[in-house]
Amino acid sequence: MEFHRFFFYASIILSISVYLFPIMANSMGINYGQIADNLPSPEDVVPIVKSIGATKVKLYDADPKVLKAFANTGVEFIVGLGNEYLDKMRDPAKAQAWVKQNVQSHLPATKITCIFVGNEVLTFNDTSLSSSLLPAMQSVHTALVNLGLDKQVTVTTAHSLSILEASYPPSSGAFREDLVDCLSETLSFHQKTGSPFLINAYPFFAYKGNPKQVPLDFVLFQPNQGVIDPATNLHYDNMLYAQIDAVYNALASLGYKKLAVHISETGWPSKGDEDEVGATADNAKKYNGNLIKLMSKKTGTPMRPNSDLNIYVFALFNENMKPGPTSERNYGLFKPDGAPAYSLGISSTSNVAGSNTTTGGTNGKPLSPIPTPPSTPTSSSTGYLSISPATERYEFAGTVLLTALILTKMLLW
């Protein structure tokens, strides 16, 4: 590395460690998207990832330059197989060739622990994609078995929260009826192979869609009175935990109560268009800063208090070539030059919603009745198209985000 470049990144890392992340999260995951023409080299990204305490990285492909740069660092990787590869991966021979080239060749130096096959496939309403999903996952897993890698590398896929038909209260969490058959087969695969269930969750969209009705403090993990699930008497003081527990309940309703759930994407944009209410640096600082504080405590949700949260923050960098609204290009914790996009201001773990989840309402008083959830969403997030970050994640809609109808009467009384 040239001396001037080394000096530049060394100074960046020093400023990050004392200013941006004075408290680092244990087992923090980060999404490393690369839809940009001005990002640092993978070699320069290594110290940036380490500076934030991230021990896990999720890629949207299996970029060999990135995987080689992180060799012998101990950082765990999830690599991606894009939606455009699903049909091809149905062929066991092609799946094995891909695994050999993109996974086996990097082991054991680079710690690849998981392959996610497709992203938010079931909410694309594309039958050709959805019918190819499980066969592709099975072929990739078979390839791992044949190569003797199945004990160290799992196979999964990432879902949008739009796979839920009901999400509030969390105890009523249920999958869409039209997806139950397909999901049941996929869940059986997860159970047999020991792979996690991945969900992309964005409370930002709930606030953006109804900023006058959805309490900002509730979505930003700020102190607030929270809500009570009347069926369980569990107290929720942030939206993300409510979303996660809704997923746990949906899984339990199909007989998969013990299946591990990982949050493969969540984040908040630091900039947006005029109609993207809430997309500010201050809100991004609060959301991501408070989230990282909670991750550092290694506690779970109200329903699973003893289960560590496996969360991948979206995203490492602002990506200047992503299509869509301005927010899509401003989810990064860092600017392309490696400088922090904003200070997370993490200096303590106090006064963070979710840090002390309990039962009961405010002063022991239950909150107002649960309103009827909206109908099943007719559109969903496209999430990460192929192996790339989302182009239209902003279209995410429906009950799964606990929108205004879910919170209006619950929190504003």
Side-chain angles (χ1 to χ4, degrees):
M1 183 187 295
E2 297 178 1
F3 178 76
H4 74 276
R5 189 173 69 176
F6 174 82
F7 180 79
F8 172 75
Y9 281 103
S11 63
I12 289 293
I13 299 311
L14 179 62
S15 67
I16 290 168
S17 60
V18 299
Y19 178 60
L20 180 64
F21 290 96
I23 289 181
M24 297 179 183
N26 292 325
S27 301
M28 173 182 171
I30 190 77
N31 283 277
Y32 180 7
Q34 299 180 78
I35 304 183
D37 59 7
N38 56 357
L39 297 181
S41 69
E43 291 77 13
D44 291 331
V45 171
V46 174
I48 294 176
V49 167
K50 286 183 170 292
S51 75
I52 60 175
T55 59
K56 299 178 291 186
V57 171
K58 179 164 158 279
L59 291 178
Y60 292 90
D61 55 12
D63 187 337
K65 294 181 180 179
V66 174
L67 295 175
K68 289 177 182 177
F70 278 85
N72 303 310
T73 62
V75 175
E76 296 183 10
F77 271 83
I78 295 179
V79 296
L81 251 172
N83 293 351
E84 77 274 23
Y85 290 106
L86 293 186
D87 185 60
K88 182 185 297 185
M89 289 301 107
R90 294 174 66 120
D91 183 336
K94 293 179 179 178
Q96 184 151 320
W98 187 91
V99 171
K100 279 186 175 182
Q101 179 180 348
N102 296 284
V103 177
Q104 187 180 44
S105 63
H106 297 285
L107 295 170
T110 304
K111 196 174 181 181
I112 300 172
T113 60
C114 184
I115 303 168
F116 78 98
V117 180
N119 196 62
E120 303 190 349
V121 171
L122 298 185
T123 46
F124 269 98
N125 297 319
D126 184 327
T127 55
S128 64
L129 274 181
S130 58
S131 62
S132 295
L133 178 59
L134 182 58
M137 293 171 66
Q138 292 170 329
S139 290
V140 172
H141 176 70
T142 298
L144 291 169
V145 172
N146 293 340
L147 296 171
L149 301 175
D150 59 301
K151 302 303 181 184
Q152 62 189 103
V153 183
T154 59
V155 178
T156 186
T157 187
H159 298 284
S160 156
L161 271 175
S162 285
I163 62 173
L164 294 183
E165 180 169 321
S167 62
Y168 201 82
S171 58
S172 69
F175 293 116
R176 284 169 40 181
E177 290 186 9
D178 61 314
L179 298 179
V180 167
D181 289 343
C182 183
L183 276 168
S184 294
E185 295 178 347
T186 304
L187 294 175
S188 177
F189 171 87
H190 287 308
Q191 186 177 62
K192 291 177 182 178
T193 63
S195 58
F197 186 78
L198 302 188
I199 280 286
N200 300 334
Y202 287 90
F204 165 68
F205 299 117
Y207 181 74
K208 173 190 169 185
N210 294 278
K212 293 182 179 180
Q213 297 175 309
V214 176
L216 185 58
D217 286 344
F218 189 74
V219 295
L220 295 180
F221 305 98
Q222 293 288 95
N224 66 94
Q225 69 179 21
V227 298
I228 296 292
D229 186 320
T232 62
N233 202 37
L234 291 175
H235 177 257
Y236 291 87
D237 53 16
N238 72 78
M239 182 177 287
L240 181 64
Y241 280 15
Q243 291 175 336
I244 296 172
D245 278 355
V247 173
Y248 280 137
N249 274 293
L251 291 170
S253 70
L254 295 184
Y256 296 93
K257 185 177 182 179
K258 296 183 179 181
L259 198 63
V261 174
H262 294 184
I263 306 305
S264 42
E265 291 179 26
T266 191
W268 197 283
S270 59
K271 186 178 180 181
D273 295 322
E274 290 185 5
D275 63 342
E276 294 189 285
V277 181
T280 68
D282 185 58
N283 286 341
K285 168 184 175 179
K286 291 176 180 176
Y287 184 86
N288 288 318
N290 287 333
L291 176 61
I292 291 171
K293 290 179 188 177
L294 291 179
M295 284 192 285
S296 72
K297 293 177 68 66
K298 296 182 74 68
T299 58
T301 64
M303 185 172 295
R304 301 279 182 88
N306 298 318
S307 298
D308 287 351
L309 293 175
N310 288 277
I311 296 177
Y312 290 78
V313 175
F314 185 80
L316 187 57
F317 294 107
N318 287 336
E319 299 169 68
N320 68 336
M321 296 182 68
K322 291 180 66 177
T326 297
S327 63
E328 286 295 319
R329 294 175 288 282
N330 290 278
Y331 272 88
L333 299 182
F334 296 93
K335 298 176 182 178
D337 64 1
Y342 47 85
S343 168
L344 290 182
I346 302 174
S347 58
S348 70
T349 56
S350 62
N351 296 322
V352 179
S355 61
N356 185 25
T357 52
T358 60
T359 59
T362 302
N363 295 323
K365 179 181 178 182
L367 301 184
S368 52
I370 303 293
T372 302
S375 59
T376 302
T378 57
S379 64
S380 68
S381 162
T382 60
Y384 273 71
L385 299 179
S386 302
I387 56 175
S388 304
T391 58
E392 299 196 25
R393 202 166 48 243
Y394 57 94
E395 290 186 350
F396 202 94
T399 62
V400 297
L401 287 178
L402 308 181
T403 54
L405 289 178
I406 299 174
L407 291 172
T408 302
K409 295 181 182 178
M410 297 295 298
L411 295 172
L412 302 179
W413 62 293

